[in-house]
Amino acid sequence: MPVKLVFGGKLTLSDPKDFPVVIVGQLPHLTSISFDDMKIKLSPRVDKETFDQAVGNLRPSPTDTCPLWLRNATIAALPLKSSRHNTPSRAHSLSKLVKSCLTDQEEYVVIVCEREDAYALGCAVARILPLYSGKSGGASNYTLTVEFLLVGADKEIPLSKDDLHCMSASAHGIRLAAEIVDKPCSHMNTDDFVKEAEVVGRELQITPFIVRGEELKEKGFGGIYNVGRAAEHPPALIVLSHRPQGATKNIAWVGKGIVFDTGGLCIKARQGMCGMKRDCGGAAGILGAFYAAVKLGFTENLHAVFCVAENAVGPLATRTDDVYTHYSGRTVEVNNTDAEGRLVLADGVAYARKDLKADVVVDMATLTGAQGIATGKYHGSIVTNDENMELWCVKAGQNSADLVHPMPYSPELHFREFNSAIADAKNSVADRSNAQVSCAGLYIASNLGFDYPGVWLHIDMAAPVYNGERATGYGVALLATLFGQMSHNSLLKYVAPPVSIQEAMEVENEDSSKKIRRH
């Protein structure tokens, strides 16, 4: 069994001799607490003098640690500064510090923080506890308990049972997403992904809607079908729909689920193909986020749409120059079989508009290598037709530590890159040096329709989906936070952007002509 993760809203009695403990927080927060606050985790192994000296000698540059009792008790300081495009919680540094201190036995992590950072920091611990292991000995088997000591204005009000439920559900979603991404295609083919969606559906009492194999062709899903038709396991469109009583809005999250990407006939180089099991990261993140959102009481209709295929090489593989028809009715001339993610997502967003009548469509994908160049390893790239959504998504990224940064939205300038003489568009740009991340998103948006009256958000997270050789579960906390105002859960509401997306949609519906498209 893998590591079990448990969250606690107050400190419980434990002895470092039997249960190692890591105490971590920003230096001003650590200096604001006393030994009496922490005695319950340290006594009788650590006394007040040792604790005070350790805190006083912390010199984070950017981080610092100090042992309190052998390797079994450690105190660690997070960076002093956080720039405006980083998360104020310093969550990425917390992940590294905690990971370096884990002892592979039952232990505790005490997080000293303000309430506003608790969610991001709890999720940060979940990101470093992978569920999948292909080693003969299996995964580590112990319980890691994360306890919070709040400081600041809310220090007298510990995290509630509802708050801890929020963290547990989000952590499960993060670890589920990471497990799917970590598993190789030998263990996570399209059939396996369908089974994962069915498991989540049973947990949430939702029956998936599934279109598979030749039925995709019959129903007009030309993108998903033709990308995945050469593989041993057939492609699929999977939809999980949460429809609570009283809901008036339809939200659709559409995920790219390429379980392995060879590049097709435009085959990748040997080194470029390693790691392509991660190409399902968008769909995996949406599955984890959907689980968390529904578990925490999502108040509107929420649909998770998974576009699942293996981009394989074989006699049935898509050829360059082939022309196919998307679910939107638009035709595409394939000029790059390694630009397959946008082909499957194009069908997914069209389904969200035509069949699900979605007011908001979010697509998330490991779409372009250019994303890592544009915004790096920590920030996903976003493209959206709505300025408010852009601002909210950046804020949700900072609050959840799934960071994002905007790319230009200018269809009139960039969509011409897909011009085709014989079809509505080609699937890959003519000039790869011209805003690749934006262009890739615009191909997807064209099948939703540039006249789409709702809100569209594209999240390209090719780089932050993994760190080193492990998946991060990126996107789960981001989506849960971004739509937190549509949750019954008080902690999600607290960390969500302050203006409800639902309220914004109502304003926009009153006068769609006032919608801002800033780029």
Side-chain angles (χ1 to χ4, degrees), residues 50-73:
T50 302
F51 177 81
D52 290 344
Q53 286 184 352
V55 173
N57 281 293
L58 287 172
R59 300 288 187 271
S61 59
T63 62
D64 194 15
T65 62
C66 183
L68 296 171
W69 189 74
L70 304 176
R71 291 193 60 204
N72 282 31

Side-chain angles (χ1 to χ4, degrees), residues 149-173:
L149 179 62
L150 297 186
V151 297
D154 295 323
K155 65 180 181 180
E156 302 299 332
I157 309 172
L159 295 175
S160 67
K161 183 178 180 181
D162 192 48
D163 298 334
L164 300 174
H165 175 53
C166 175
M167 288 194 188
S168 295
S170 298
H172 178 81

